[in-house]
Amino acid sequence: MASVLSGQFITENRYPLDPADFGRCVRLIRAVPELEPSLSQMRDFGKEWAAVVNNWSYWTQLYDNKQGEELYKEMKTAYSAAPVPEDYQ
């Protein structure tokens, strides 16, 4: 996420697998708030990233409220149900 949104470096791009991974995404956006308007670009990197973007607000709320188990459940459900974006290669 950092490499895509910042454009400063290239690295392997993986979606958050669990609340700890998602927390790193949240902390990145909070540390560099000017990246938040570009968050929607992550949809181009697969159905899981599209799910992250589509659920960002709700998942962030769960993360902030320390509801890790519920967040994990929501993430797994969203990833398994997420359709492949139309323009995904």
Side-chain angles (χ1 to χ4, degrees):
M1 184 171 147
S3 67
V4 171
L5 297 183
S6 72
Q8 298 296 311
F9 59 96
I10 297 172
T11 188
E12 190 172 358
N13 183 15
R14 297 192 178 192
Y15 63 92
L17 297 174
D18 57 32
D21 286 348
F22 182 72
R24 286 184 275 282
C25 296
V26 169
R27 292 189 301 276
L28 170 66
I29 295 298
R30 289 182 177 160
V32 190
E34 57 269 21
L35 295 179
E36 189 167 14
S38 301
L39 190 59
S40 64
Q41 291 177 20
M42 296 308 299
R43 285 188 177 107
D44 296 338
F45 292 88
K47 68 182 189 113
E48 293 86 1
W49 274 115
V52 171
V53 173
N54 293 341
N55 292 286
W56 183 263
S57 294
Y58 179 54
W59 290 2
T60 300
Q61 181 182 10
L62 292 174
Y63 175 79
D64 287 343
N65 290 328
K66 300 184 184 348
Q67 294 179 286
E69 288 182 29
E70 181 65 20
L71 175 55
Y72 185 70
K73 180 179 137 193
E74 291 290 329
M75 292 170 75
K76 290 300 182 188
T77 299
Y79 293 157
S80 65
V84 176
E86 291 180 26
D87 57 348
Y88 183 66
Q89 317 272 339

